[in-house]
Amino acid sequence: MSGLMFSLRPSSLWSCSRLFRLRRLSLPPLARSNSSKMSSDSHWLSPADRDQQVMELRATGWVEVEDRDAIFKELHFKTFNQAFGFMSRVALQAEKLNHHPEWFNVYNKVQITLTTHDCGGLSKRDIRMAKFIDKIALSM
């Protein structure tokens, strides 16, 4: 993007619809075309697939989030640098897949929640990301 930055104050007269149009106009054409690919790739899991995949992930420490169609895992590392290095590797993969985790970090602890917002719950993309996270965590 052009590097243009602005902030809105509570007294601003900009309506939400005007801001949405402005944001859409500022996206490069490639970013707009990826959004349709994202939603077509982020399909819900069938009930049988979901049960099987979640069962496999439970064995590696993932838990289902209560009152949400999401999975959660807490990881502990030896140091903050190791935790941050892990997060950096996950962030690069998240950008590549255009699928970003909800996460929280304090010192050597990283808490991760995965869900697919555009389909309203757990999807194949979350399973793929969880397996990647497990693989990276084992290599740290």
Side-chain angles (χ1 to χ4, degrees), residues 72-116:
F72 171 88
K73 186 171 188 175
E74 184 171 299
L75 299 112
H76 295 265
F77 298 91
K78 290 179 184 172
T79 64
F80 171 76
N81 283 341
Q82 193 178 34
F84 196 84
F86 163 80
M87 291 177 71
S88 296
R89 291 178 74 182
V90 172
L92 291 171
Q93 182 69 7
E95 279 297 301
K96 188 176 179 182
L97 297 175
N98 194 24
H99 190 60
H100 305 87
E102 299 171 16
W103 55 14
F104 180 75
N105 165 246
V106 174
Y107 185 61
N108 67 336
K109 178 175 67 176
V110 178
Q111 297 173 335
I112 303 171
T113 301
L114 297 174
T115 190
T116 303

Side-chain angles (χ1 to χ4, degrees), residues 16-27:
C16 289
S17 62
R18 284 182 70 185
L19 286 174
F20 180 72
R21 282 195 306 269
L22 179 63
R23 189 176 66 187
R24 282 190 56 129
L25 291 173
S26 67
L27 290 174

Side-chain angles (χ1 to χ4, degrees), residues 12-76:
S12 174
L13 298 176
W14 287 69
S15 69
C16 289
S17 62
R18 284 182 70 185
L19 286 174
F20 180 72
R21 282 195 306 269
L22 179 63
R23 189 176 66 187
R24 282 190 56 129
L25 291 173
S26 67
L27 290 174
L30 183 58
R32 283 194 299 265
S33 65
N34 281 346
S35 64
S36 64
K37 181 181 180 227
M38 183 177 82
S39 55
S40 67
D41 186 43
S42 57
H43 298 293
W44 280 34
L45 296 159
S46 71
D49 280 345
R50 186 187 193 290
D51 291 344
Q52 177 65 34
Q53 296 291 343
V54 170
M55 185 177 67
E56 289 175 16
L57 291 173
R58 274 193 207 119
T60 64
W62 290 91
V63 295
E64 292 178 83
V65 177
E66 191 174 316
D67 298 327
R68 255 184 106 183
D69 192 16
I71 54 176
F72 171 88
K73 186 171 188 175
E74 184 171 299
L75 299 112
H76 295 265

